[in-house]
Amino acid sequence: MFTRILFYLGWLQVFCFKIGSLIEMCLGTTVIESVNAVTIIFLGMSEAPLLYSVYLADLSSSELHAIMASGFSTVAGTLLAAYTSLGVDPRYVITASIMAAPASLCFAKLLYPETIQSKTTSKEITLLNSKETSLLQAASNGASSAIGMVQGIIASVVACVAFISFLNAVCSWLATLVGYEGITLEYLVGILFVPIAWLMGVDPEECQTVGSLIGIKTVANEFIAYMQLGALKKVGKLSARSEAIATFALCAFSNPSALGSSIAILTSLEKSQSEKINKVALRAFITGCITTFTSASIAGLLTE
């Protein structure tokens, strides 16, 4: 509701444009890339493209890659309360989201450099204004839109928990056939991400646990991972340093469902760019993962 009110007043657009212009000046990125990186922190990867949808047809492959990478590198500010209710430290989530704005653009351009001149400049860009006619209507629509968001979160969490439980049962059953006990999906994906957890600075004895959280976030979603992190915090199974690193590493929409959503949203807004969008999607997904892991590494350096 608060976000929709700020959008109606025009303050959110002005703020995102001003900060985006500063990033554009500092990093040399284009205006759409820069504004998108800031807007995603507040609106998320689903609603941010609506602000500049009329310019999607003019974007290059590198610009589309940067837009998608920014979406995979952070989470929406509108979900901060939901993450906090799971036991996550909101300071870490806010810090990780802010760090992701310039970092995602940095890695996006490293993995997909721009080779052509952008067709959009800050002088000719006009951002979308709210369609609400009053402050009360904006507040009402904002509150109403939360219904679909909450329903989507509940459905996603229920489906993912059920699917992970099913895979755990299958893995455990297959393992017992060859004489092993306690083999689960979390254990298997944890092994894959143990080297990454170690490189980020996690204590060796906790690398398996943090690796499992990162794996669950990558194959399912960050809600499931944050739920497990909150449970681990309650029983004191993670040190303060490992908790900070894990919170930063999980603070991103880099999962298969988000990948599909990003492709669907951008394609629906500009069908002529569907080939470019599908071509850069997987690379943008990897860029988002690299961005969050780098932020987590920095958190590990600055946390005792």
Side-chain angles (χ1 to χ4, degrees):
M1 182 184 70
F2 183 65
T3 303
R4 189 64 68 91
I5 290 174
L6 293 178
F7 186 65
Y8 166 75
L9 296 173
W11 297 352
L12 183 61
Q13 298 94 308
V14 172
F15 176 80
C16 292
F17 186 83
K18 294 298 183 183
I19 301 299
S21 298
L22 178 62
I23 293 178
E24 177 188 11
M25 181 180 64
C26 295
L27 300 184
T29 49
T30 63
V31 60
I32 296 297
E33 295 169 336
S34 305
V35 172
N36 173 78
V38 178
T39 307
I40 278 181
I41 298 175
F42 301 96
L43 300 182
M45 62 192 305
S46 299
E47 296 182 345
L50 298 176
L51 289 180
Y52 50 81
S53 58
V54 294
Y55 303 102
L56 285 175
D58 297 325
L59 300 184
S60 65
S61 295
S62 179
E63 289 176 302
L64 290 170
H65 173 263
I67 286 173
M68 298 182 76
S70 295
F72 296 134
S73 300
T74 187
V75 295
T78 50
L79 299 177
L80 177 60
Y83 297 137
T84 303
S85 69
L86 300 177
V88 178
D89 192 329
R91 297 174 301 171
Y92 294 152
V93 177
I94 294 173
T95 304
S97 298
I98 295 173
M99 291 173 61
S104 62
L105 294 176
C106 174
F107 286 109
K109 291 308 176 184
L110 283 173
L111 271 69
Y112 204 127
E114 185 61 87
T115 57
I116 62 175
Q117 183 68 35
S118 175
K119 296 181 180 179
T120 56
T121 63
S122 56
K123 295 181 180 179
E124 62 186 30
I125 292 296
T126 55
L127 298 181
L128 184 68
N129 293 320
S130 174
K131 295 182 179 179
E132 281 89 2
T133 57
S134 67
L135 189 66
L136 182 61
Q137 184 184 14
S140 176
N141 289 344
S144 299
S145 65
I147 297 175
M149 182 184 298
V150 172
Q151 289 176 338
I153 291 172
I154 293 173
S156 176
V157 170
V158 170
C160 288
V161 168
F163 185 63
I164 290 173
S165 297
F166 167 73
L167 291 180
N168 281 338
V170 171
C171 292
S172 179
W173 177 72
L174 292 175
T176 56
L177 297 179
V178 293
Y180 289 94
E181 299 290 339
I183 303 299
T184 62
L185 176 65
E186 287 93 338
Y187 177 78
L188 294 176
V189 297
I191 293 176
L192 294 176
F193 286 95
V194 161
I196 294 179
W198 180 76
L199 288 172
M200 289 190 298
V202 177
D203 296 334
E205 61 272 15
E206 296 177 330
C207 282
Q208 174 68 43
T209 303
V210 176
S212 296
L213 294 174
I214 297 173
I216 292 301
K217 187 270 296 184
T218 304
V219 301
N221 61 42
E222 78 287 348
F223 264 101
I224 305 299
Y226 274 143
M227 287 174 61
Q228 296 191 10
L229 176 60
L232 291 171
K233 286 179 60 178
K234 289 181 179 179
V235 297
K237 286 190 175 181
L238 283 181
S239 64
R241 187 164 180 268
S242 295
E243 176 198 336
I245 293 174
T247 305
F248 273 75
L250 303 180
C251 188
F253 285 143
S254 48
N255 57 69
S257 61
L259 177 62
S261 297
S262 180
I263 294 174
I265 291 167
L266 293 176
T267 301
S268 64
L269 291 175
E270 187 52 60
K271 291 182 172 56
S272 64
Q273 294 280 45
S274 60
E275 183 177 352
K276 291 181 181 179
I277 292 169
N278 284 277
K279 181 180 178 181
V280 304
L282 182 58
R283 190 184 304 194
F285 180 86
I286 296 173
T287 302
C289 292
I290 293 174
T291 302
T292 52
F293 294 159
T294 303
S295 297
S297 301
I298 296 173
L301 289 173
L302 300 178
T303 305
E304 297 182 356

